[in-house]
Amino acid sequence: MAITSRAPAPAGGAGGTAAGPPAGPPGPGTAWAEGVERLRAAATTEPGRLRIIGALVAGLVLLFGAVTVWEVADRVGSAEDVVGRSQPLSADAASIYRSLADADTASSSGFLAGADEPRGVRQRYEKDMAGASRLLVSAAANAGEDAASRRQITLLGEQLPRYTGLIEQARATNRQGLPLGGAYLRYANEQMSTQLLPAAQRLYEAETGRLYEDYDNARSLPLASLGAGILALAALAWAQHRNYRRTNRVFNRGLVAATAATLVALLWLAAGHAVARSSLAEARAEGQESLKVLTDARIAALQARANENLTLIARGAVLADDNRSDKYDVDFAANMKDLDAGLEKALRLADDGKGREPVASAADAVRQWKQRHAAARETDLRGDYQAALPQVIGGKDHKDSSGAAFDTVDASLERALAHEQAEFTRAARSGLGAFGGLVTGSAALAVAGAAAVLLGIGRRLSEYR
C-alpha cells in the first residue's frame, strides 16, 4: 500500500492566510502614560499622597538652598571685586591722573628755578612720571575687554613720551638762557591739559563706573532666594497642618526640624544681606564718594599751582578768550574756585574728626595761598619780576611763598585721602564679611531640611505597614 505525504497546512488556518507579525514594543509615550497612571493611582491612597507630598516639599527646600547658593555666590563675587579689583583699579586710575597733574606742576616749578632747579623738584617730577608709567602698565593688564578703558590707556601710552620729550627740550633750552624754553613748556602744558589729563579723567570715570556696577550687584536684593524660602516655609506649614488635621498629632519631628532649618537659612540670608548692604552703602557714601571729591580737589590744586607758575613763565604771552586777560591767571582762578567747592563738599562728607581735620587744614592753607598769590601777582604786574619770583617759588629769604601754602594744601589732602581710603576698606571688608559662611551654611541647611522632610514623612508611612 502506497504511503502519501501531505505538506503541513499554513499557520493561518483553513483559509491558508498567513498570520500577521507579532506585536512590537509599546509605542512612544506609553511609558509616560503608564507613569502618570501609576501616580494617579498612588494619589488615591493616603500612603501615595504622603510620598508625593514628601517629594514636593523636600524638592522645594532643596530648590531654596540651590537658589540661595547661586545668588549669594554671585553677591560674594561682586563684593570681592569691590574690595580686591574694581576699587583698587579706580584708585590706580585716580593716581595716574594725580601723578600727571603733579608732574606738570613740578616741571613748571623747576623751570621757574632756572639753572638752579632744586634736586627735590626734579626727583618729584621723575617719580611722578615713573609712577604714571607703572600704573598704566597695570591698568592695561587689568582692563580686560573694557574697550573704553583700553582706548584711554592707549592714548596715554602714546602721548606720555611726547610730553616728556617736550619737557626735556624746555629744560635744556632754559639752561642755555634761551626764551624758547618757555614756549616748549607752554606747549607741553597744553598737551597735558588737552590730551593727557582728559584721557586720565575718562579712564578714572570708566574704572569708577565698573566699581559702581560691582557695588550695585553686591547690594542687589536676593529676591529669588527670599521667594523660594518663603514658598518652602509655606509648603512645610501646609504639610504640618494637613498632618495635624488627619492625625490630631500636633508635631511631626521631621517636618518641625525641616521648618527650623529652612527658617534659620532664610533669616541668615536676610540678616547677612542687610548687614552687607548697609556696610557697602557706607563704603560707597562715606568712603568712595569722599575719595572722589578729595581726588578732584587735589587735581584742582595741582592744576592751579601749574597755572600759577605758567603765569610767571608766559608773562602775558598767552591771552584768555577775552583777548585781554592772562590765560593762565584766569585758569588759576577757575581752579581755585573748583578747589574751594571740593573742600566744602569734602567737609560735609567727612563723618569724623580724623577726616575733617586735614580738610579744614587744607581750607586754611588755601586762604593763605590766595593771599600770597594776590601779593605776588600785584608785584609782577608792577613789572618787578625778580621780586615776584620768590613770592611764588620761595627762597632763603622768602619762606612765606604761595608755593609753601600749596605744599600744605597738597600734604593735607594726601592725609585726608589716606584716611578715607582706610575708611572705605574697613566698611567694604565688613560688607564682604557679612556673607561669610552663607554659601556653605545655606547649602548644608537645605540638605538637612530636605532629609528631615523625608524622615518625617517616612515616619508617617511606617504607620501604614
Side-chain angles (χ1 to χ4, degrees):
M1 176 169 113
I3 300 174
T4 58
S5 61
R6 297 177 64 185
T17 304
T30 303
W32 170 257
E34 182 179 351
V36 171
E37 184 60 34
R38 287 181 179 178
L39 186 62
R40 185 181 297 113
T44 61
T45 66
E46 182 60 15
R49 285 192 288 268
L50 285 173
R51 290 188 180 93
I52 294 171
I53 291 170
L56 290 176
V57 174
L60 285 174
V61 174
L62 287 175
L63 175 65
F64 167 52
V67 174
T68 299
V69 167
W70 169 60
E71 284 199 316
V72 172
D74 179 65
R75 305 306 189 273
V76 169
S78 296
E80 288 176 341
D81 283 343
V82 167
V83 175
R85 185 184 65 86
S86 52
Q87 202 281 329
L89 288 177
S90 175
D92 284 350
S95 294
I96 292 172
Y97 194 178
R98 187 206 64 79
S99 294
L100 292 175
D102 192 56
D104 199 47
T105 300
S107 64
S108 61
S109 297
F111 187 93
L112 277 176
D116 298 326
E117 178 181 10
R119 182 172 178 80
V121 173
R122 181 62 184 173
Q123 288 177 337
R124 180 171 179 171
Y125 167 80
E126 292 174 347
K127 181 181 178 181
D128 286 331
M129 287 291 99
S133 299
R134 175 179 53 80
L135 290 172
L136 274 177
V137 172
S138 177
N142 291 285
E145 300 300 323
D146 191 333
S149 293
R150 298 196 72 86
R151 280 196 301 271
Q152 308 313 319
I153 292 169
T154 300
L155 177 59
L156 287 167
E158 291 173 350
Q159 296 297 327
L160 200 56
R162 298 176 186 176
Y163 172 81
T164 56
L166 288 170
I167 292 297
E168 293 308 314
Q169 187 66 46
R171 291 181 70 244
T173 308
N174 189 43
R175 283 197 300 268
Q176 298 172 17
L178 301 175
L180 188 59
Y184 278 117
L185 187 69
R186 292 195 301 273
Y187 185 50
N189 173 263
E190 181 182 357
Q191 187 182 19
M192 176 66 75
S193 301
T194 61
Q195 296 287 331
L196 289 167
L197 287 181
Q201 175 71 24
R202 290 190 293 269
L203 176 62
Y204 175 56
E205 290 172 352
E207 295 297 342
T208 303
R210 291 169 62 183
L211 169 61
Y212 287 161
E213 287 178 6
D214 288 335
Y215 265 127
D216 293 340
N217 192 38
R219 295 186 67 248
S220 60
L221 288 171
L223 297 179
S225 300
L226 294 172
I230 293 171
L231 182 61
L233 282 177
L236 283 163
W238 173 81
Q240 290 175 87
H241 181 66
R242 181 182 184 278
N243 180 64
Y244 169 71
R245 284 191 299 105
R246 289 181 176 271
T247 65
N248 288 325
R249 293 173 182 172
V250 178
F251 297 116
N252 178 290
R253 294 178 180 176
L255 294 178
V256 169
T259 302
T262 304
L263 184 60
V264 168
L266 185 61
L267 292 176
W268 190 0
L269 171 68
H273 269 276
V275 173
R277 282 171 60 84
S278 176
S279 296
L280 289 170
E282 179 186 353
R284 177 168 178 169
E286 299 178 8
Q288 181 60 30
E289 291 300 325
S290 292
L291 284 170
K292 186 176 186 304
V293 170
L294 288 168
T295 295
D296 291 343
R298 195 176 187 191
I299 297 299
L302 290 166
Q303 290 178 325
R305 178 59 179 168
N307 283 317
E308 182 178 38
N309 291 336
L310 285 164
T311 302
L312 279 180
I313 294 170
R315 305 188 70 180
V318 182
L319 298 180
D321 293 337
D322 62 3
N323 291 322
R324 292 183 302 171
S325 306
D326 184 282
K327 174 185 181 303
Y328 298 113
D329 195 42
V330 170
D331 289 346
F332 170 84
N335 296 145
M336 295 301 279
K337 184 177 180 180
D338 291 340
L339 177 57
D340 286 336
L343 291 176
E344 182 180 351
K345 187 174 182 180
L347 272 174
R348 290 198 305 268
L349 290 173
D351 60 339
D352 59 4
K354 289 184 178 180
R356 284 189 291 270
E357 185 275 325
V359 178
S361 175
D364 290 340
V366 166
R367 285 189 283 272
Q368 286 186 342
W369 185 3
K370 289 179 180 177
Q371 294 170 359
R372 294 172 184 180
H373 171 80
R377 185 68 180 142
E378 183 179 353
T379 302
D380 186 39
L381 289 175
R382 290 200 306 266
D384 194 350
Y385 173 82
Q386 295 301 324
L389 184 60
Q391 289 180 280
V392 173
I393 66 174
K396 295 179 179 179
D397 301 325
H398 209 300
K399 301 294 184 182
D400 296 332
S401 65
S402 63
F406 160 75
D407 289 339
T408 301
V409 172
D410 192 57
S412 298
L413 289 175
E414 186 173 8
R415 285 193 293 120
L417 282 164
H419 172 74
E420 295 300 335
Q421 181 65 54
E423 288 291 292
F424 166 84
T425 302
R426 177 194 57 77
R429 289 191 180 279
S430 176
L432 177 59
F435 291 118
L438 188 51
V439 172
T440 303
S442 57
L445 287 169
V447 171
V453 169
L454 297 178
L455 288 174
I457 296 296
R459 179 67 176 172
R460 284 282 293 117
L461 286 172
S462 67
E463 298 172 359
Y464 288 89
R465 298 191 182 104

